[in-house]
Each structure stands twice: as structure tokens, then as C-alpha cells.
Amino acid sequence: MGRITSVDKNTSNGSTLRFVRGAGLFLILLFLIWGAGSAGFASLLSTAAARSGQLEAADAAVRLSPRDAHTHLIRGGVMQANGHLSAAVAAYSRAVSLRPEDYVLWLTLAHARELNGDKEGAIAAATQAVGLAPRYAKPHWQLGNLLIRAGRVDEGFSELRGAGASNPALLSAFIDLAWGLSGGNVQYVMQATEPRGPAAYSALAGYFKKRGLTTEAIAMFRSAGDAAEQERRTYLSELLAAKRFKDAHALWAIGHPRDPDAPPMFEPGFEQESDLDEPGFGWRSGDKAENLHLTLDAGDPNEGRLSLQVLFNGNSDPAQPIVSQLVSVQPRTHYQLGFAARTQEIVSGGLPGVVVVDSGSGGVLGQSGALPQTSGGWRDYTIDFTTPETSEAVQIRLQRGPCGSPCPIFGRLWLDKFSLRETSTRGAGVSIKPGVERSGTPG
Amino acid sequence: MNPRTQRIASLLALFLVVSISQVGIGFAAPETATAVNETPVPQVQNPAGILTTVGNKPITVNDAASVTGATILSGATIETPDGVGATVSLDPRGSLEIEQHTKLTLNFQEKHIKVVLLKGCVTLHTRKGTLGEIETSKDMVSKTDPKKDDVIRVCHPDSVMEASAVVAGPALDLLSMLGVIAAPAAAVVPVVLPGSNPSNSSPE
């Protein structure tokens, strides 16, 4: 019996233990369910509060999940939206105390503190955010602006430089602020921005361009280098369209550095390949007709290794230059353009010739006249012309003479050895002489 | 030369050396000063505006992208894109709420806020003592009453139709301005969970 009793006792003890264990597990699960449920419900309430702006929902979320920074953040947002800035600051402060490693919360607190008139408190909070996220732009941006509004301008710009370095999209706003604060002082803008990389130089170039400060913009594009090539090309097209050839030439020269003593024309002997579609002061093809082919020809150049061969094989627009180059010139100055040409069996109602046009007015300054149909070898030509009083650039064109439409052309033409030189001092003569054609020496 | 004369000569020489070096320093000093040639630090003239944008999304100020926290100076041209509103706090004078798809120029002085509205809608809050004006054309100017805290909402005549659709849900807009929710149109749980420590990935 005693043995049986003993077994019963053990069974009873085991059952109790199992019950206690089960109850404990149940309580733990209940606690976890309650925790997860209340957190989830608090999140729902917070969302509802954020969407409706109802303080009751935000308060309920905080009561359900008082140790969740997010519920306090939402409550602060609702308070701020309703104009209760002090209460909002208190709610944000609570959120920050619950999650002090979150820079976003510090920034939110900083912003609310400043709106509530507490500049120093705002700066302190934003400084915390910068410490937590030193490589992020936003904390530097907010702290920088705060410091500037607090009158600590130098410190502020130092922070904004950090923001710009992290996020170049903010550079323009930063530059604009320096510009506005200094009343449009370029030197101060440079001092405040302390540009060090292509992104900063590019942003400054864009800003100065927008402000119409062409010289400064060009200088910044020069410093930006290839990183701003696309923007530089766009600006170049704009300057050319505005007929600001001097500025355009200075900008174009950034991508085409040349010896100061180099001849005024670019690639006068066609010795290197070039992009005929690039705007600027290099050779450009005007007529894109399929029946017109431009190639660099190594066979029998006039000088150097190559010459330009133009193959005519059908219709093309006589009004369009076949190939042209814009050349920077001085006003009221006599020039002589020289070139060599060779033609072979050209047949057309509108034969090609070289024309010099003032880029500002579009007026013809000089021309070679029609080139022969077959030259029998290279011939040298010169065109004398005088630039008008306001001239900044001339366009040297290979262009067909006028003829009806359609006006096909067949045959081959080679050009080489272009040169442009001043033949008299500036201002010596003001009359525009028609171009003088001088028959070249057969090559 | 006797010792006495020698001492006098030495003292005289020393005096001359010191004098000449002083003259040298005197000449050198201005050169050093001009070499620095730093532009003086400008001061923020009157309390500047503070920009807050909806969801911290960028708007344009003087054609430059700007986000929450930016400093707005008098004379700024402000433009909001579709779906993004903004507020410029001009304490202690008041504040300007800018709705989406709005363009304006904002001028302010000590007791005067002037908005030239080019398109869209704005709400101007002014504190007592501040005159607020919203101009939509030369002969259409709405004004606040400087004798009290006042508020006016004005839409550009060309924007009236779209404005009516925007009015709904001001509380939501205000909350969005805090960056608390991602976007006004966000659906079930539009809450931005402020991340804890920033990662080292792309800085924002």
C-alpha cells in the first residue's frame, strides 16, 4: 500500500509541476501576445493619428506603448501640426530619450526647438544628429542652416560644405544662400563654398551662368574639367546662339587646350579626326545629305599626312555649308585666309567655293568664287577681308553656289593647308572689301 | 677711440638699428594686412525664414533644390512640384503655407510680409502687428489685418479649379511636413520608421 501511495504522490507532484509549467508558459505567451498586440495596435493608432491629426489616437498609442519612441514621435507631430510647439518639443524629447541613437529623431527635435524659439537647444540637438550620422548630408544641412540663422555664419557654412560634399544636389541651394547673404558677392560665395571637387565647381559654374556672370562661370567650368563636359557643351551652344563668340571661344578652349602661339584656325591641315557635330570652333559639317561624304584622305595631301576629301554623289542642299569652321577674330582688322584645294570631275549647276561670313551679321566678307571642275592638282587660294566694327568671329565655309532645286552634284574635292593671318593693324581700315581671288599655283 | 666714445657709438648704432627695423616693420605691416583680403562675413539682416517641406521632399528655391531646414531669405522665388507642399516659418511675423504646384516670390521685412503669387494657392498667417499681402496681379491684392492675428488663403485665378481638390486633409499635410509620414497618398501604414544608426551606404 505504502508503495502504491508513494506512486500516487509522485504522480500528483508530476501533474502539479506540469500544470505550473503550463500555466507559466501560458502566462509568458499571454504576455508576449499582449506585448505584440499592444505594439501593433499602438502602431495602428499612431498611423490613424498621423492620417487624421487626432490627438486622442496619438495619446492612446502612447498609453499602449509608452516605451516606443515612434508613438511619441507621432504624438509630437500631431502637437506640432496643431500649433502646440512646446508640447511637441516635449514629445520629441521623450522619443529621443527612448531611442537616443536615432539621428532622425534628433533632427526632428532640433527643427521643433527652433520653431519654438529655442535656437541653442536646436543647435545642440542638430549637433547630436551630426555626431550620429557624420557622413549623411541631412544633419549637416540642418545644423548649417540653424547656425547661419543664429548668426554663426562661418560655422554654418562649414557644416553646409559637409552637406554639399555628401549630397551634391544641395550645393546649388548652399551657393544661393551664400549669394543671398552676401548681396551677390562672388568673392564671398567662393570663400563660403571653398570648392574642392568637380561637383562643387560644376555647381558654381551653373549658378554663375544662371546669374549671367559669364567670366566667372567659364572659370568654374575650367576648374570642373571633364566632369562638367555636358553642361559646358550646353552652355557653349547657348552662347553661340546668343552670338557671344568671345565668351563661347573661351569656354570651348577649355576642352581644346592649345598653345597660345597656335594658329587661329583649329586643325587647319586636317591632320586629326574631329567630331564634326560638336558645337564650337572646330570643323563642322552643315549638310547631312547622304550623298555627301567627308573623309580624311592620306593620298596626296598638300601638306602633312592628310587632307579633307569631299565626295559628292547626288543631291545636297546648296544653301547649307558643306563644312565650316568658326574662327575668333578681332574687329576692324584686315585678314588673309589661305587654303589649298584640288578638284576632280565636279559636275553641278552650283559649284563649291570657300566663303568668309561675319558670324554676327551673317554678311559675306570674302569668297574664293567657284572652284574649278577639275583643277589638275593642288592650287593655293587667298581671300582678303576686313572684319566689321563689332565682329567677334567669322565663319569659314565650303559652300556651293546658288542653283535650283534639286541641284545634284558629283565629283571629288580636297581641301588642305588653311591659314588665317592678320595683314594690318587693328583699325587701319574700316571698309569691307570684296574677297580677292587669286589663282593658285597648280600643284 | 676711447672706451667712453666707443660705448656712445655702440649705443647710437644700436639705436639706429632698432629705429630702422621699426621703420621696416612699419612699411611691411600694411602689406601683410592687404595680402589677407578676406571678404567680411555677412550678417543675417532680419530673422530669416525656415523652410519645412512635406515629407522632406525637395522643392525649388531660386531654382535650386531645397529641403526642410533651409534658410529662406527675403526675395526668394519658391516653387513646389506636384504632390509636395511646404511651409515657411517667418517668426515672429507669421508663416506661409504653400500648397503643391505653386510658384511665388516672398518678400518680408520687420512688420510686413508680401507674397506675389504666380500660380497655385497659399495660406498666409500673420501675427498682430504684421501686415500680410498676397498679390496675384497688379490690381488684385489680398491683405491681412495687422490689428490682430490673421489668416488669408488665396489661389491664383488660373489655379482655382485645382485648388479645391487640394484643400482636403490639412492635418495630414502638416504631419507630412514633419517628415513623420512618407507621403500624403500613402496607404495603410505610411509611417516612416526613423532608422536607428545610419548605415554607411548612400548618404542622404
Side-chain angles (χ1 to χ4, degrees):
Chain A
M1 288 294 282
R3 197 175 169 190
I4 292 167
T5 307
S6 169
V7 169
D8 283 345
K9 235 180 215 175
N10 284 345
T11 309
S12 169
N13 282 346
S15 300
T16 309
L17 199 62
R18 274 199 300 278
F19 176 76
V20 169
R21 276 183 187 160
L25 195 63
F26 176 74
L27 283 173
I28 289 168
L29 283 173
L30 200 65
F31 179 75
L32 289 174
I33 289 167
W34 168 252
S38 61
F41 193 53
S43 178
L44 276 174
L45 284 170
S46 290
T47 305
R51 292 173 73 86
S52 64
Q54 285 182 344
L55 186 57
E56 295 78 17
D59 284 341
V62 168
R63 278 196 299 275
L64 269 173
S65 197
R67 298 198 58 77
D68 181 357
H70 187 65
T71 58
H72 292 279
L73 175 71
I74 296 290
R75 186 169 180 274
V78 174
M79 290 289 191
Q80 188 174 339
N82 288 306
H84 306 306
L85 279 170
S86 298
V89 167
Y92 293 144
S93 298
R94 179 71 181 135
V96 159
S97 70
L98 290 167
R99 201 192 294 159
E101 74 282 8
D102 190 334
Y103 81 96
V104 175
L105 295 181
W106 282 106
L107 286 182
T108 309
L109 176 63
H111 192 58
R113 276 181 177 169
E114 191 191 20
L115 292 175
N116 198 35
D118 178 11
K119 279 189 178 165
E120 288 310 312
I123 289 169
T127 304
Q128 285 282 348
V130 168
L132 288 166
R135 293 178 59 191
Y136 276 41
K138 212 185 287 178
H140 289 290
W141 169 259
Q142 205 159 316
L143 177 59
N145 276 284
L146 267 164
L147 287 166
I148 286 170
R149 288 192 288 266
R152 292 156 66 178
V153 178
D154 274 349
E155 292 170 74
F157 278 122
S158 174
E159 290 298 330
L160 292 183
R161 284 193 289 275
S166 278
N167 183 359
L170 294 173
L171 281 167
S172 293
F174 163 30
I175 295 164
D176 185 59
L177 182 58
W179 175 270
L181 281 176
S182 65
N185 184 327
V186 172
Q187 196 183 348
Y188 182 76
V189 171
M190 296 301 296
Q191 201 175 296
T193 50
E194 286 183 18
R196 291 212 173 100
Y201 283 118
S202 189
L204 280 162
Y207 191 82
F208 289 145
K209 172 191 156 186
K210 191 177 74 183
R211 291 280 173 191
L213 301 169
T214 310
T215 307
E216 289 79 0
I218 292 170
M220 292 299 104
F221 274 123
R222 189 173 294 115
S223 300
D226 291 342
E229 190 183 350
Q230 194 52 47
E231 293 90 336
R232 202 171 64 214
R233 194 182 268 224
T234 304
Y235 191 27
L236 178 61
S237 297
E238 289 169 12
L239 288 173
L240 289 172
K243 297 184 187 291
R244 294 173 59 184
F245 298 108
K246 266 189 182 170
D247 292 329
H249 188 266
L251 187 65
W252 176 82
I254 294 169
H256 303 82
R258 301 172 75 199
D259 193 308
D261 299 327
M265 288 188 71
F266 187 73
E267 280 298 322
F270 304 99
E271 294 302 317
Q272 285 182 350
E273 284 188 18
S274 57
D275 180 359
L276 295 177
D277 292 327
E278 184 189 350
F281 293 77
W283 289 108
R284 300 196 74 195
S285 65
D287 194 342
K288 311 289 183 194
E290 285 181 9
N291 300 318
L292 197 63
H293 301 283
L294 302 173
T295 51
L296 294 178
D297 187 9
D300 190 24
N302 184 270
E303 69 169 18
R305 296 176 305 111
L306 302 165
S307 63
L308 176 71
Q309 182 192 138
V310 185
L311 172 63
F312 300 104
N313 197 23
N315 279 320
S316 67
D317 183 1
Q320 290 290 323
I322 298 157
V323 66
S324 68
Q325 183 172 137
L326 206 56
V327 184
S328 192
V329 292
Q330 300 294 335
R332 293 197 303 160
T333 304
H334 295 300
Y335 285 94
Q336 186 174 73
L337 174 72
F339 67 95
R342 181 160 69 97
T343 53
Q344 184 183 311
E345 295 171 357
I346 296 181
V347 180
S348 177
L351 291 169
V354 173
V355 183
V356 180
V357 175
D358 176 48
S359 296
S361 65
V364 174
L365 303 179
Q367 51 193 314
S368 67
L371 298 174
Q373 289 179 288
T374 297
S375 63
W378 286 101
R379 291 187 186 193
D380 288 332
Y381 295 84
T382 57
I383 302 171
D384 291 284
F385 63 92
T386 304
T387 53
E389 193 146 359
T390 55
S391 188
E392 292 183 1
V394 294
Q395 192 179 38
I396 295 163
R397 300 175 177 173
L398 174 68
Q399 189 164 358
R400 295 174 62 194
C403 69
S405 180
C407 183
I409 179 169
F410 298 91
R412 289 170 196 268
L413 178 155
W414 289 263
L415 292 171
D416 206 353
K417 203 177 68 178
F418 272 87
S419 67
L420 183 70
R421 62 186 182 89
E422 282 185 38
T423 53
S424 70
T425 51
R426 223 171 294 168
V430 290
S431 63
I432 301 173
K433 293 192 294 181
V436 177
E437 178 188 352
R438 196 189 324 160
S439 289
T441 312
Chain B
M1 196 183 281
N2 61 40
R4 184 189 165 87
T5 318
Q6 210 168 11
R7 269 203 301 277
I8 291 169
S10 299
L11 281 170
L12 195 62
L14 185 67
F15 174 75
L16 284 171
V17 165
V18 169
S19 303
I20 290 166
S21 66
Q22 289 305 310
V23 171
I25 290 165
F27 281 129
E31 198 176 280
T32 316
T34 51
V36 174
N37 197 25
E38 283 218 340
T39 310
V41 177
Q43 296 301 310
V44 184
Q45 288 300 324
N46 43 27
I50 307 166
L51 179 70
T52 309
T53 66
V54 168
N56 201 24
K57 287 180 180 170
I59 65 164
T60 54
V61 178
N62 296 331
D63 290 331
S66 278
V67 292
T68 294
T71 303
I72 303 296
L73 301 178
S74 182
T77 299
I78 302 172
E79 186 166 12
T80 54
D82 286 339
V84 184
T87 296
V88 179
S89 175
L90 296 163
D91 274 348
R93 289 154 290 201
S95 65
L96 180 71
E97 286 172 34
I98 307 166
E99 294 177 18
Q100 63 165 335
H101 201 58
T102 294
K103 185 173 183 180
L104 57 95
T105 57
L106 174 62
N107 288 281
F108 47 89
Q109 295 156 8
E110 202 182 337
K111 290 178 177 177
H112 188 201
I113 301 170
K114 183 173 183 183
V115 177
V116 178
L117 188 60
L118 304 169
K119 69 174 184 186
C121 302
V122 294
T123 304
L124 178 62
H125 300 258
T126 51
R127 298 268 168 78
K128 188 179 173 184
T130 298
L131 170 66
E133 289 181 304
I134 302 175
E135 179 185 305
T136 48
S137 65
K138 288 282 178 203
D139 51 353
M140 283 181 70
V141 181
S142 307
K143 295 181 181 182
T144 61
D145 184 354
K147 291 176 188 161
K148 59 174 186 176
D149 287 359
D150 204 2
V151 57
I152 47 171
R153 179 175 183 272
V154 173
C155 288
H156 193 275
D158 298 344
S159 309
V160 172
M161 290 302 286
E162 58 188 276
S164 56
V166 175
V167 180
L172 178 64
D173 273 0
L174 285 166
L175 281 168
S176 302
M177 282 175 186
L178 310 175
V180 171
I181 62 175
V188 184
V189 186
V191 178
V192 170
L193 295 170
S196 50
N197 263 338
S199 69
N200 285 335
S201 58
S202 61
E204 50 187 41

